[in-house]
Amino acid sequence: MAATLIDLAETPVRELNRALHAPGGADVWRVLNPRGAHAVACGVREDLAVDIEGHVGYYCAGMNQRATVTVHGNAGTGVAENMMSGTVRVRGNASQSAGATAHGGLLVIDGDASARCGISMKGVDIVVGGNVGHMSAFMGQAGRLVVCGDAGEALGDSLYEARIYVLGTVKSLGADCVEKEMRAEHLSELGELLKAAERDEDPSEFRRYGSARALYHFKVDNSAAY
Amino acid sequence: MCGIVGLHLREPSLEPRLGELLTAMLGQVVERGPDSAGVAVYGDPRLSPPGRTVVSLLGTSKAEVEAVMPGVRAYDADATTVVHADIDQLATALPHARVIGSGEGFAVLKGTGNPVELADAFGLADVTGWQGVGHTRMATESAVTPEGAHPFSVGPGQCLVHNGSFANHATIRRELRAQGVQFDSENDSEVGARFVAHQLEQGADLEKALKLLCERFDGFYTLLVSTGDSFAVVRDAIACKPALVAETDAWVAMASEYRALDVLPGIENARIFEPEPEEVYVWRRR
């Protein structure tokens, strides 16, 4: 199927997004010349395929539902923030807060993601081919973060129930984040995530991290702190 | 918010285009700081002819300078007046004027209002040179005035532009005042600039001065610091204020957002990266 072409050198982002939101529109889209524009392909709710040829600015594919959005370049702050479902793929690197607060869907970053990747994630699956920056999965509540490279400082700080898998080194673990045993069900879910992200790393070489759940309840020993 | 752009040219054939490129970069960060703007340009032969001391002033005009100091050259650029004269001579002749930059080979231009209109009022597109920095300001810590606009230039040829806010600036201002450092304002970014200038004056190099700044300052910051031969970037430990660096054989550029880098020639082949927290990056003129 031929893609519907939108050139952002000629068409404003608002018009692109309006076209993507309009009922009964094309199923396949190709976006040219994003040149770092913000909010490209935000709030799409249909099962569309959107290919963006170049680097995007902030909040690309934010609030995505059902659509498959591919960025053939780098993405700025907050790519796929608050995604509900669908797939967002960044072929290059992503800036900070990738997948922030996202509830569902799959975010794949082929390159590196910087600080706070998956901050407050609420059910999204994130697979990063490279490294993640400091405080990734900060306050992550649900979902899985897979890092095929290294993780920066304070990984999983104040984590709730999100699960983290890292192949490389972890610079440091954040408060209440601990390494956990890799059981059969974890190898299996990790294998599925890597497959979905079209990656060929061996799940058995990853380590798993999660919440020690020590911050869940008030400790009377800390009463003097308030 | 606030927006930062900076361009350090390595390829001399691009020098005639410095102002044009800086104007285009500045135009991409207007939304980040629509209330005021400022630039520093290094090497423009009209604003800063070689061998001349250049003083950038607020609160005066070309007409006033030329009336009280016959024979002295001056240029008006919006709220700023650039004067080619000795700084002590100016302090006597124009005691009410505020010095916002002085040194050889560079000029500082500041004003309030829309940054694109200011760039036009500065005549920025026609400026040439080897290095330029720009800032669009969304004021948080002090009033919207030309004095509060960045860059803050408090040492010879030095400029600092800041996105963020320092939390302990009052404490550090007090400490620096106790050591004899004079301040012009209650602005937090001025404290950063005075701190760096003070360290450089005490013999630290730029890397050392910025490392000390990281140790001493609390708060949010992405800083672009330039001197008569250098271009440096540093971010705080949390690194929540954005920064991107792009580098080619022809130039090094820094901006708050990618779209400001996208206007540069050869960006498609540039090495693009985000500066790591509390790591000092310095590029020197070759």
Side-chain angles (χ1 to χ4, degrees):
Chain A
M1 192 189 298
T4 300
L5 213 62
I6 297 236
D7 187 347
L8 290 180
E10 294 159 7
T11 307
V13 171
R14 217 175 265 263
E15 212 168 293
L16 162 72
N17 286 339
R18 206 176 286 131
L20 294 174
H21 299 166
D27 292 332
V28 184
W29 298 76
R30 195 158 164 247
V31 179
L32 305 180
N33 292 310
R35 304 189 70 184
H38 297 329
V40 175
C42 267
V44 179
R45 287 165 298 178
E46 302 298 332
D47 189 9
L48 313 179
V50 184
D51 279 86
I52 304 164
E53 309 289 344
H55 306 314
V56 292
Y58 291 10
Y59 311 128
C60 178
M63 304 176 283
N64 186 55
Q65 293 187 52
R66 301 172 61 192
T68 299
V69 179
T70 308
V71 178
H72 299 272
N74 301 329
T77 297
V79 63
E81 54 117 25
N82 218 58
M83 173 159 64
M84 302 305 285
S85 62
T87 303
V88 175
R89 183 161 201 144
V90 179
R91 294 288 181 189
N93 302 322
S95 183
Q96 58 183 317
S97 306
T101 74
H103 291 248
L106 174 67
L107 168 62
V108 181
I109 296 155
D110 289 346
D112 298 329
S114 66
R116 295 172 283 274
C117 177
I119 182 172
S120 198
M121 53 196 283
K122 293 177 168 66
V124 67
D125 291 324
I126 304 176
V127 180
V128 180
N131 307 327
V132 295
H134 61 273
M135 297 202 89
S136 286
F138 177 52
M139 295 187 83
Q141 290 139 61
R144 285 88 51 100
L145 170 64
V146 179
V147 182
C148 300
D150 302 331
E153 284 177 1
L155 176 71
D157 193 278
S158 307
L159 198 65
Y160 292 83
E161 291 303 307
R163 292 194 286 284
I164 306 173
Y165 299 97
V166 183
L167 179 58
T169 59
V170 174
K171 201 161 183 189
S172 67
L173 292 174
D176 210 32
C177 183
V178 292
E179 184 171 352
K180 293 190 167 182
E181 184 194 358
M182 195 73 149
R183 294 193 300 268
E185 71 263 33
H186 304 119
L187 289 168
S188 158
E189 75 167 4
L190 178 56
E192 282 167 26
L193 287 165
L194 290 166
K195 196 173 157 211
E198 297 164 16
R199 299 203 64 90
D200 53 12
E201 282 83 1
D202 177 358
S204 68
E205 291 176 5
F206 283 73
R207 291 166 168 236
R208 179 170 75 100
Y209 302 89
S211 173
R213 302 189 177 100
L215 295 177
Y216 271 36
H217 306 290
F218 178 71
K219 282 206 180 78
V220 75
D221 302 347
N222 295 333
S223 59
Y226 299 95
Chain B
M1 277 219 251
C2 295
I4 299 178
V5 295
L7 181 60
H8 172 97
L9 296 176
R10 291 167 160 165
E11 173 53 54
S13 67
L14 281 173
E15 290 184 11
R17 294 183 63 196
L18 177 77
E20 169 212 328
L21 296 171
L22 202 61
T23 303
M25 293 176 82
L26 200 69
Q28 293 295 322
V29 293
V30 170
E31 292 89 346
R32 298 193 62 87
D35 65 37
S36 43
V39 296
V41 285
Y42 292 77
D44 181 77
R46 186 181 72 103
L47 290 170
S48 54
R52 301 290 291 276
T53 302
V54 180
V55 184
S56 300
L57 297 168
L58 292 174
T60 183
S61 64
K62 173 181 162 73
E64 185 182 38
V65 170
E66 290 178 352
V68 298
M69 302 171 75
V72 166
R73 288 208 96 125
Y75 300 95
D76 280 332
D78 198 76
T80 307
T81 307
V82 176
V83 183
H84 301 161
D86 188 67
I87 193 161
D88 297 329
Q89 200 185 344
L90 279 166
T92 319
L94 296 161
H96 57 278
R98 161 84 69 88
V99 176
I100 56 163
S102 73
E104 277 187 32
F106 97 120
V108 177
L109 312 172
K110 299 189 194 191
T112 55
N114 182 289
V116 168
E117 289 164 21
L118 281 171
D120 191 40
F122 296 155
L124 186 60
D126 297 326
V127 163
T128 66
W130 62 274
Q131 176 167 278
V133 303
H135 185 270
T136 60
R137 179 168 185 238
M138 186 175 281
T140 53
E141 294 282 315
S142 61
V144 178
T145 58
E147 290 81 0
H150 300 218
F152 282 91
S153 175
V154 299
Q158 298 164 21
C159 275
L160 175 143
V161 295
H162 176 202
N163 175 16
S165 56
F166 292 128
N168 58 345
H169 64 98
T171 308
I172 299 170
R173 187 186 296 109
R174 234 176 357 253
E175 290 169 3
L176 288 173
R177 273 186 176 139
Q179 292 174 58
V181 175
Q182 306 245 328
F183 282 81
D184 288 335
S185 73
E186 295 302 305
N187 183 288
D188 63 324
S189 305
E190 186 195 348
V191 183
R194 296 275 176 202
F195 181 90
V196 172
H198 185 63
Q199 299 303 333
L200 293 175
E201 202 179 275
Q202 306 273 306
D205 60 16
L206 194 52
E207 284 92 341
K208 174 80 176 165
L210 293 176
K211 283 208 166 86
L212 288 168
L213 182 142
C214 291
E215 283 173 22
R216 194 64 197 86
F217 280 73
D218 187 13
F220 299 121
Y221 51 90
T222 286
L223 300 174
L224 175 59
V225 181
S226 56
T227 71
D229 66 356
S230 303
F231 185 82
V233 176
V234 69
R235 304 171 83 189
D236 67 83
I238 304 291
C240 70
K241 296 299 178 187
L244 275 170
V245 172
E247 192 171 7
T248 71
D249 288 342
W251 45 261
V252 179
M254 181 268 176
S256 299
E257 296 182 20
Y258 172 75
R259 54 186 173 148
L261 300 172
D262 192 79
V263 302
L264 295 172
I267 184 67
E268 55 285 354
N269 299 314
R271 183 173 81 96
I272 301 169
F273 64 94
E274 288 191 352
E276 295 289 327
E278 291 198 326
E279 192 163 319
V280 176
Y281 298 81
V282 179
W283 293 267
R284 288 213 159 72
R285 197 177 184 189
R286 288 170 179 171

